[in-house]
Amino acid sequence: MTTSVRGDQLARLLGRWHSLPGRRRSPDYAALAGAVRGLLSDGRLALGVRLPAERELAEALAISRTTVSAAYRALRETGHLASRRGAGSWTTLPNGHRVASSGLWTPDDDLDMIDLGCAASAAPVELVPAARAAADDLPRYLGSAGYHPTGLPELRAAVAEAYTTRGVPTSPEQILITSGTQQALDLVLRLSVPVGATVLVETPTYPNALAALAARRARISTHGLDIEAGWDGEMLLGALRQTKPRMTYVIPEFHNPTGHLMPTELRERLVATAHSAGTDLIVDESFVDLPLDDPAMPPPVAVFDRHSRVTSIGGMSKAYWGGLRIGWVRASAPLVQRLAAIRVGVDMASPVLEQLVAVHLLRIADEIVSARRAQLRFRRDTLVAALRSQLPEWRLVVPRGGVTLWAELDGPISSALSRAAEDVGVRLAPGPRFGLDGTLERFLRLPFTLPADDLAEAVRRIASVRHDLDHAARPTWRTPVVIT
């Protein structure tokens, strides 16, 4: 079912769309068409959305219907609107503007490159002692086959206890240990999303989630996040009611890449609306352990679940180390058993030794995570200061947690800037990687997981190529890289 947007909703998204006064002032219809194109390119207005009728939008904007008609006509001429008599008009993009959104792999690491494409930290100092302690624990498991499809009992208990502490009573039987959060997502999609089913996601969103959905051949519908306000609750819940997707994937805690934190009221309404729409929720909690400014953390989305509609996924990659491939699913016990049955056909079970390492790390979680937060807070502040000093024309919203900053650039140059930055030894993740069909060219994700000196140097190099970007030579082919 196609999502539609009402006149008042589109008017709110458009904001101050009028042309600026002056000798070169554009006609109102051209300014309106340009504003709609801007919403599309920024990902705030999804593709395939039915726009309001001309009369309805004219009333919402307090302008003439003739102006709206001319704007719609201009959008059709540029390929940003498709219309059919009697059925309405839908947002689209011109031919040739569509790009893939999946992550790509590089064969090896370039040690001379400052890699801002990867939003993950180095291992904590506690990892080596934990690994040694885990090796000492290993002999008591060597007498068995070593296959534990749902995970080691002690690790499942530790993860369940962490959920209970956060206010979601959880038993070990409700936990499935996986090989990272990505596998947790993949298993849930394998079980719950048939080929061709509709899945609603935020835009921007985590690119490897889009890759997993593409692998399932899901029909992806999107809800746009604003760089300052985050989720528009009315638009999100309206999209749920209209499309009735099989599944909705959200990142409510320090969203990747924007860093937004979903408010409590929207969490509760999201669960209620999902239930009424017959939609299951996948809640990605990868960054839940990383509040940086001590914000009052809302309760987990699963607190509001009364009908087993919420499946939570998480892992140890962001707060601990990406090389420790330990993730988990929290769901109803029957669903965990069904996921484990599917998991046997994928990789049998997670490595016993890595699970034991995770057990030891979780025992000292407060110490590790506290140090990680302090480290990330300092690095975030260093990155923000460097950007405001050297690229003041960029618009920033300082994230209160997580590991990434979402910057609005001074033009639709994200991909071009990423290519130019690689020439000076900086690898970037351009905005279109986090959306669909070539949108988000005005945005750039910048993680603050590297040392502060590297972040400051990276910004200096980016600024040095930005000022010459309009006169850059034709780009050459690049080696594919992984975006995490």
Side-chain angles (χ1 to χ4, degrees):
M1 182 176 178
T2 301
T3 304
S4 61
V5 58
R6 299 196 310 269
D8 60 330
Q9 293 174 328
L10 183 55
R12 187 172 66 250
L13 287 174
L14 288 167
R16 300 176 63 182
W17 59 271
H18 288 278
S19 296
L20 295 175
R23 200 167 50 178
R24 294 174 177 262
R25 187 177 189 272
S26 304
D28 279 348
Y29 82 88
L32 178 56
V36 172
R37 283 193 292 269
L39 291 176
L40 284 168
S41 66
D42 291 351
R44 286 177 288 163
L45 184 62
L47 300 178
V49 170
R50 181 161 37 220
L51 295 189
E54 294 172 1
R55 187 184 302 278
E56 180 185 353
L57 183 58
E59 292 176 354
L61 295 175
I63 59 177
S64 72
R65 181 177 176 180
T66 302
T67 299
V68 177
S69 298
Y72 278 18
R73 183 169 61 251
L75 289 168
R76 284 192 292 268
E77 290 172 352
T78 59
H80 293 86
L81 201 63
S83 301
R84 190 168 68 247
R85 184 179 297 275
S89 300
W90 294 265
T91 55
T92 183
L93 281 181
N95 291 333
H97 284 219
R98 296 175 177 267
V99 298
S101 56
S102 59
L104 295 171
W105 292 92
T106 181
D108 53 20
D109 293 328
D110 185 347
L111 299 179
D112 295 326
M113 183 74 67
I114 300 178
D115 190 354
L116 295 182
C118 186
S121 300
V125 296
E126 294 86 354
L127 181 62
V128 172
R132 289 172 177 154
D136 292 338
D137 291 342
L138 187 60
R140 57 193 173 96
Y141 287 93
L142 298 181
S144 69
Y147 299 133
H148 301 269
T150 56
L152 295 184
E154 54 193 298
L155 180 54
R156 297 174 75 193
V159 175
E161 182 181 357
Y163 274 103
T164 301
T165 300
R166 291 174 55 208
V168 189
T170 303
S171 68
E173 291 72 27
Q174 291 178 267
I175 300 297
L176 172 75
I177 302 301
T178 62
S179 297
T181 310
Q182 186 69 21
Q183 189 190 51
L185 174 61
D186 181 72
L187 290 174
V188 175
L189 294 180
R190 286 172 183 257
L191 178 65
S192 304
V193 179
V195 172
T198 300
V199 177
L200 179 66
V201 302
E202 301 143 330
T203 182
T205 192
Y206 179 48
N208 289 332
L210 295 175
L213 289 169
R216 293 300 305 158
R217 288 185 283 173
R219 296 175 57 195
I220 302 176
S221 181
T222 60
H223 160 69
L225 267 67
D226 182 76
I227 186 173
E228 292 184 349
W231 296 267
D232 184 318
E234 184 181 352
M235 296 284 285
L236 172 59
L237 302 182
L240 263 174
R241 296 186 188 102
Q242 292 179 45
T243 61
K244 299 185 185 303
R246 179 67 186 84
M247 184 77 70
T248 295
Y249 170 79
V250 293
I251 311 174
E253 284 91 15
F254 311 117
H255 175 266
N256 182 8
T258 67
H260 286 298
L261 182 64
M262 183 181 286
T264 300
E265 180 196 11
L266 182 54
R267 293 167 184 245
E268 185 173 10
R269 294 175 65 199
L270 176 62
V271 175
T273 304
H275 174 61
S276 64
T279 297
D280 292 330
L281 296 175
I282 302 179
V283 179
D284 189 336
E285 300 180 317
S286 296
F287 302 93
V288 71
D289 292 325
L290 297 175
L292 303 184
D293 295 326
D294 297 320
M297 289 295 290
V301 175
V303 164
F304 305 106
D305 185 26
R306 301 290 183 271
H307 306 281
S308 297
R309 287 287 183 190
V310 176
T311 298
S312 304
I313 61 176
M316 304 188 70
S317 295
K318 302 307 179 183
Y320 298 85
W321 186 44
L324 185 64
R325 303 308 301 151
I326 294 296
W328 50 76
V329 177
R330 183 211 177 266
S332 65
L335 182 59
V336 165
Q337 290 301 314
R338 293 171 64 195
L339 289 169
I342 291 176
R343 196 261 177 86
V344 169
V346 176
D347 69 345
M348 299 296 290
S350 296
V352 171
L353 183 58
E354 289 194 26
Q355 293 185 71
L356 292 172
V357 173
V359 169
H360 283 278
L361 291 175
L362 290 175
R363 288 173 182 167
I364 54 173
D366 290 344
E367 175 183 341
I368 296 174
V369 173
S370 177
R372 181 70 82 195
R373 289 174 182 167
Q375 178 190 69
L376 289 170
R377 188 182 306 115
F378 175 71
R379 293 176 176 180
R380 177 203 61 186
D381 294 345
T382 299
L383 176 62
V384 169
L387 288 168
R388 285 176 171 169
S389 172
Q390 300 193 50
L391 292 161
E393 62 274 19
W394 290 10
R395 188 157 68 112
L396 313 173
V397 175
V398 180
R400 294 184 296 162
V403 301
T404 63
L405 182 150
W406 188 239
E408 183 175 1
L409 313 183
D410 54 330
I413 57 170
S414 184
S415 295
L417 181 63
S418 298
R419 290 192 294 266
E422 194 152 344
D423 288 335
V424 294
V426 179
R427 179 172 293 144
L428 298 175
R433 288 289 183 199
F434 302 88
L436 295 172
D437 300 314
T439 60
L440 303 173
E441 274 289 2
R442 292 183 62 89
F443 296 91
L444 187 68
R445 189 192 74 172
L446 296 167
F448 40 87
T449 51
L450 295 179
D453 289 345
D454 287 347
L455 293 173
E457 175 62 18
V459 173
R460 186 193 67 78
R461 297 183 191 181
I462 294 169
S464 72
V465 298
R466 169 63 192 99
H467 301 300
D468 296 327
L469 190 60
D470 293 337
H471 306 287
R474 180 178 297 177
T476 57
W477 290 102
R478 304 289 183 182
T479 301
V481 298
V482 62
I483 305 297
T484 64

